Amino acid sequence: MTYDEMKDKLQSRLKTTRFIHSVGVAESAVYLAKRFGVDVEKARIAGLLHDCARQYPNEQMISEADKRHISYGEVEKSMPLLLHGYIGAELIREEYGVEDEEIAQAIYRHTVGGAAMTDLDKIIYFADMIEPARDYPAVEHLRELSKTVSLDEMVLAGLSQSIEFVLNKNHLIHPDTVVARNEILLKLKK
Protein backbone atom coordinates (compact mmCIF):
# COMPACT_ATOMS: atom_id res chain seq x y z
CA MET A 1 0.00 0.00 0.00
CA THR A 2 1.38 3.42 -0.90
CA TYR A 3 1.50 6.30 1.57
CA ASP A 4 -1.37 8.03 -0.25
CA GLU A 5 -3.45 4.85 -0.12
CA MET A 6 -2.76 4.57 3.62
CA LYS A 7 -3.76 8.20 4.03
CA ASP A 8 -7.04 7.71 2.13
CA LYS A 9 -7.91 4.59 4.12
CA LEU A 10 -7.08 6.31 7.41
CA GLN A 11 -9.21 9.31 6.47
CA SER A 12 -12.19 7.04 5.85
CA ARG A 13 -11.85 5.48 9.33
CA LEU A 14 -11.10 8.40 11.66
CA LYS A 15 -13.01 11.49 12.69
CA THR A 16 -11.86 14.55 10.75
CA THR A 17 -10.07 16.12 13.73
CA ARG A 18 -8.20 12.88 14.47
CA PHE A 19 -7.21 12.54 10.82
CA ILE A 20 -5.91 16.13 10.73
CA HIS A 21 -3.96 15.38 13.91
CA SER A 22 -2.48 12.24 12.31
CA VAL A 23 -1.31 14.16 9.23
CA GLY A 24 0.20 16.78 11.53
CA VAL A 25 2.08 14.11 13.47
CA ALA A 26 3.40 12.68 10.18
CA GLU A 27 4.66 16.15 9.16
CA SER A 28 6.23 16.78 12.58
CA ALA A 29 7.83 13.32 12.52
CA VAL A 30 9.38 14.04 9.11
CA TYR A 31 10.85 17.29 10.45
CA LEU A 32 12.29 15.54 13.51
CA ALA A 33 13.57 12.58 11.49
CA LYS A 34 15.47 14.93 9.18
CA ARG A 35 16.86 16.86 12.14
CA PHE A 36 18.04 13.75 13.97
CA GLY A 37 19.10 11.53 11.05
CA VAL A 38 16.32 8.95 11.32
CA ASP A 39 14.64 7.18 8.38
CA VAL A 40 12.21 9.81 7.09
CA GLU A 41 9.82 7.38 5.39
CA LYS A 42 9.48 5.22 8.51
CA ALA A 43 8.83 8.36 10.57
CA ARG A 44 6.22 9.58 8.08
CA ILE A 45 4.34 6.27 8.05
CA ALA A 46 4.53 5.81 11.83
CA GLY A 47 3.37 9.39 12.35
CA LEU A 48 0.44 9.00 9.99
CA LEU A 49 -0.72 5.66 11.41
CA HIS A 50 0.11 6.19 15.10
CA ASP A 51 -3.57 6.71 16.00
CA CYS A 52 -5.11 4.27 13.50
CA ALA A 53 -6.72 2.29 16.34
CA ARG A 54 -8.65 5.39 17.39
CA GLN A 55 -11.19 4.15 14.85
CA TYR A 56 -12.49 2.09 17.79
CA PRO A 57 -14.44 3.73 20.61
CA ASN A 58 -12.81 3.74 24.04
CA GLU A 59 -15.20 1.14 25.41
CA GLN A 60 -14.13 -1.27 22.66
CA MET A 61 -10.36 -1.05 23.33
CA ILE A 62 -10.23 -3.92 25.84
CA SER A 63 -12.08 -6.31 23.53
CA GLU A 64 -9.91 -5.27 20.54
CA ALA A 65 -6.76 -5.90 22.61
CA ASP A 66 -8.12 -9.25 23.82
CA LYS A 67 -9.01 -10.27 20.26
CA ARG A 68 -5.35 -9.72 19.28
CA HIS A 69 -3.95 -11.41 22.43
CA ILE A 70 -2.32 -8.14 23.53
CA SER A 71 -1.33 -8.21 27.18
CA TYR A 72 -2.03 -5.23 29.40
CA GLY A 73 -2.11 -4.35 33.06
CA GLU A 74 -4.27 -2.62 35.60
CA VAL A 75 -3.34 0.86 34.36
CA GLU A 76 -4.61 0.12 30.85
CA LYS A 77 -7.67 -1.64 32.26
CA SER A 78 -8.43 1.52 34.20
CA MET A 79 -7.73 3.78 31.19
CA PRO A 80 -8.51 1.71 28.06
CA LEU A 81 -7.60 4.58 25.72
CA LEU A 82 -3.96 3.77 26.47
CA LEU A 83 -4.44 0.53 24.52
CA HIS A 84 -4.83 2.33 21.18
CA GLY A 85 -1.06 2.33 20.60
CA TYR A 86 -0.77 -1.38 21.33
CA ILE A 87 -3.73 -2.17 19.06
CA GLY A 88 -2.43 0.22 16.38
CA ALA A 89 0.86 -1.70 16.24
CA GLU A 90 -1.15 -4.75 15.15
CA LEU A 91 -3.67 -2.87 13.03
CA ILE A 92 -0.96 -1.50 10.74
CA ARG A 93 -0.21 -5.08 9.71
CA GLU A 94 -3.85 -6.15 9.45
CA GLU A 95 -5.25 -3.18 7.56
CA TYR A 96 -2.34 -1.23 6.06
CA GLY A 97 0.10 -3.98 5.11
CA VAL A 98 2.93 -2.44 7.17
CA GLU A 99 5.22 -5.23 8.41
CA ASP A 100 8.09 -3.04 9.67
CA GLU A 101 8.88 -3.84 13.32
CA GLU A 102 10.44 -0.44 14.02
CA ILE A 103 7.30 1.35 12.84
CA ALA A 104 5.12 -1.04 14.86
CA GLN A 105 7.18 -0.45 17.99
CA ALA A 106 7.07 3.34 17.58
CA ILE A 107 3.28 3.17 17.29
CA TYR A 108 3.07 0.80 20.26
CA ARG A 109 5.07 3.23 22.43
CA HIS A 110 3.80 6.58 21.19
CA THR A 111 1.49 7.23 24.15
CA VAL A 112 3.42 6.14 27.24
CA GLY A 113 7.00 5.52 26.08
CA GLY A 114 8.96 2.53 27.30
CA ALA A 115 12.34 1.04 28.13
CA ALA A 116 15.21 1.44 25.66
CA MET A 117 13.28 3.69 23.29
CA THR A 118 14.76 3.92 19.81
CA ASP A 119 15.23 7.24 18.06
CA LEU A 120 12.15 6.49 15.95
CA ASP A 121 10.14 5.73 19.13
CA LYS A 122 11.22 9.06 20.58
CA ILE A 123 10.40 10.98 17.41
CA ILE A 124 6.85 9.60 17.16
CA TYR A 125 6.26 10.12 20.88
CA PHE A 126 7.36 13.75 20.63
CA ALA A 127 5.78 14.50 17.23
CA ASP A 128 2.46 13.49 18.77
CA MET A 129 2.97 16.18 21.42
CA ILE A 130 3.95 19.06 19.14
CA GLU A 131 2.05 18.61 15.87
CA PRO A 132 0.58 21.89 14.54
CA ALA A 133 -3.00 21.32 15.76
CA ARG A 134 -1.95 20.74 19.38
CA ASP A 135 -2.89 23.58 21.70
CA TYR A 136 -1.99 23.42 25.38
CA PRO A 137 0.05 25.67 27.68
CA ALA A 138 3.47 23.98 27.27
CA VAL A 139 3.28 23.18 23.54
CA GLU A 140 5.16 26.26 22.30
CA HIS A 141 8.02 25.56 24.70
CA LEU A 142 8.20 21.94 23.49
CA ARG A 143 8.09 23.08 19.84
CA GLU A 144 10.99 25.40 20.53
CA LEU A 145 12.97 22.56 22.11
CA SER A 146 12.39 20.50 18.94
CA LYS A 147 14.55 23.07 17.13
CA THR A 148 17.30 23.59 19.66
CA VAL A 149 18.17 20.67 21.95
CA SER A 150 19.24 17.06 21.54
CA LEU A 151 16.72 14.30 20.92
CA ASP A 152 17.08 12.97 24.47
CA GLU A 153 16.78 16.41 26.07
CA MET A 154 13.68 17.09 24.00
CA VAL A 155 12.02 13.77 24.85
CA LEU A 156 12.94 14.13 28.53
CA ALA A 157 11.07 17.44 28.55
CA GLY A 158 8.12 15.78 26.83
CA LEU A 159 8.00 12.88 29.28
CA SER A 160 8.26 15.28 32.21
CA GLN A 161 5.47 17.44 30.78
CA SER A 162 3.31 14.33 30.29
CA ILE A 163 3.86 13.17 33.88
CA GLU A 164 3.06 16.64 35.19
CA PHE A 165 -0.14 16.74 33.11
CA VAL A 166 -1.24 13.32 34.37
CA LEU A 167 -0.44 14.25 37.98
CA ASN A 168 -2.51 17.43 37.70
CA LYS A 169 -5.45 15.34 36.42
CA ASN A 170 -4.95 12.92 39.33
CA HIS A 171 -4.71 9.99 36.90
CA LEU A 172 -2.48 6.94 37.07
CA ILE A 173 1.05 7.33 35.72
CA HIS A 174 1.98 4.50 33.42
CA PRO A 175 5.12 2.70 34.66
CA ASP A 176 6.57 2.72 31.10
CA THR A 177 6.56 6.53 31.16
CA VAL A 178 8.54 6.54 34.40
CA VAL A 179 10.99 3.95 33.03
CA ALA A 180 11.50 5.94 29.81
CA ARG A 181 12.08 9.19 31.70
CA ASN A 182 14.46 7.63 34.21
CA GLU A 183 16.52 5.92 31.48
CA ILE A 184 16.93 9.13 29.52
CA LEU A 185 17.70 11.15 32.64
CA LEU A 186 20.37 8.66 33.73
CA LYS A 187 21.86 8.65 30.22
CA LEU A 188 22.05 12.46 30.17
CA LYS A 189 23.69 12.57 33.62
CA LYS A 190 26.60 10.38 32.47
Side-chain angles (χ1 to χ4, degrees), residues 125-157:
Y125 177 86
F126 202 77
D128 189 26
M129 296 185 87
I130 65 162
E131 63 88 9
R134 287 284 195 203
D135 183 24
Y136 57 92
V139 74
E140 288 306 324
H141 172 67
L142 294 177
R143 285 182 183 134
E144 193 54 40
L145 291 179
S146 77
K147 300 172 193 165
T148 59
V149 300
S150 74
L151 181 58
D152 281 340
E153 289 168 318
M154 180 184 84
V155 174
L156 177 64

Side-chain angles (χ1 to χ4, degrees), residues 75-168:
V75 175
E76 293 91 352
K77 209 180 286 185
S78 172
M79 297 184 294
L81 178 62
L82 294 177
L83 291 169
H84 80 274
Y86 308 171
I87 297 164
E90 296 299 321
L91 207 57
I92 63 167
R93 293 178 181 91
E94 296 168 16
E95 295 191 9
Y96 296 89
V98 177
E99 297 290 339
D100 188 289
E101 288 303 318
E102 291 177 70
I103 292 172
Q105 179 175 292
I107 290 172
Y108 186 95
R109 293 177 162 190
H110 85 269
T111 305
V112 297
M117 289 176 77
T118 67
D119 288 353
L120 182 61
D121 295 344
K122 293 172 185 176
I123 283 170
I124 301 308
Y125 177 86
F126 202 77
D128 189 26
M129 296 185 87
I130 65 162
E131 63 88 9
R134 287 284 195 203
D135 183 24
Y136 57 92
V139 74
E140 288 306 324
H141 172 67
L142 294 177
R143 285 182 183 134
E144 193 54 40
L145 291 179
S146 77
K147 300 172 193 165
T148 59
V149 300
S150 74
L151 181 58
D152 281 340
E153 289 168 318
M154 180 184 84
V155 174
L156 177 64
L159 289 161
S160 298
Q161 156 64 34
S162 177
I163 290 169
E164 184 179 331
F165 175 80
V166 171
L167 280 172
N168 288 334

Side-chain angles (χ1 to χ4, degrees), residues 51-64:
D51 271 353
C52 65
R54 293 295 295 269
Q55 70 186 38
Y56 302 117
N58 234 8
E59 51 283 354
Q60 200 175 332
M61 293 292 179
I62 298 278
S63 65
E64 290 298 327

Side-chain angles (χ1 to χ4, degrees), residues 112-114 159 163 173-185:
V112 297
L159 289 161
I163 290 169
I173 297 171
H174 199 286
D176 287 349
T177 306
V178 176
V179 167
R181 184 181 181 277
N182 286 347
E183 279 186 3
I184 292 172
L185 191 56

Side-chain angles (χ1 to χ4, degrees), residues 1-3 5-11 14 18-19 21-23 25-26 42-55 84-85 87-93 95-99 103-104 106-108 110 124:
M1 188 177 285
T2 68
Y3 181 82
E5 289 168 338
M6 289 179 204
K7 196 171 169 184
D8 289 344
K9 187 171 195 172
L10 188 68
Q11 186 171 17
L14 297 181
R18 180 66 45 194
F19 175 72
H21 163 73
S22 296
V23 171
V25 172
K42 286 184 183 196
R44 186 164 83 126
I45 292 168
L48 179 71
L49 298 179
H50 80 286
D51 271 353
C52 65
R54 293 295 295 269
Q55 70 186 38
H84 80 274
I87 297 164
E90 296 299 321
L91 207 57
I92 63 167
R93 293 178 181 91
E95 295 191 9
Y96 296 89
V98 177
E99 297 290 339
I103 292 172
I107 290 172
Y108 186 95
H110 85 269
I124 301 308

